[in-house]
Amino acid sequence: MTASSTGVTLFKLTLIQFWWISIWGLAYIFIGAIAGTSKAVEFSIYVTLLICTMVVIHMNPKLLEKL
């Protein structure tokens, strides 16, 4: 692995991390707006999103390789 390919790889990983942070921030704002002050509703939304993610990964295991 050359120095330039290592730099490109680190740049791509940094972009992916920023993308995930922004997705998390938007999801946090969205969930907070829907749930309001109810922690039970907020918890159920998080569990539902977790289950949906698990189903998508289970149905498409090669998706993880593409990320």
Side-chain angles (χ1 to χ4, degrees), residues 4-37:
S4 65
S5 67
T6 302
V8 170
T9 302
L10 289 175
F11 179 72
K12 288 179 181 179
L13 288 174
T14 303
L15 284 180
I16 290 171
Q17 288 174 346
F18 282 133
W19 180 75
W20 276 111
I21 290 168
S22 40
I23 293 296
W24 171 252
L26 291 173
Y28 182 76
I29 292 169
F30 178 73
I31 290 169
I34 290 177
T37 58

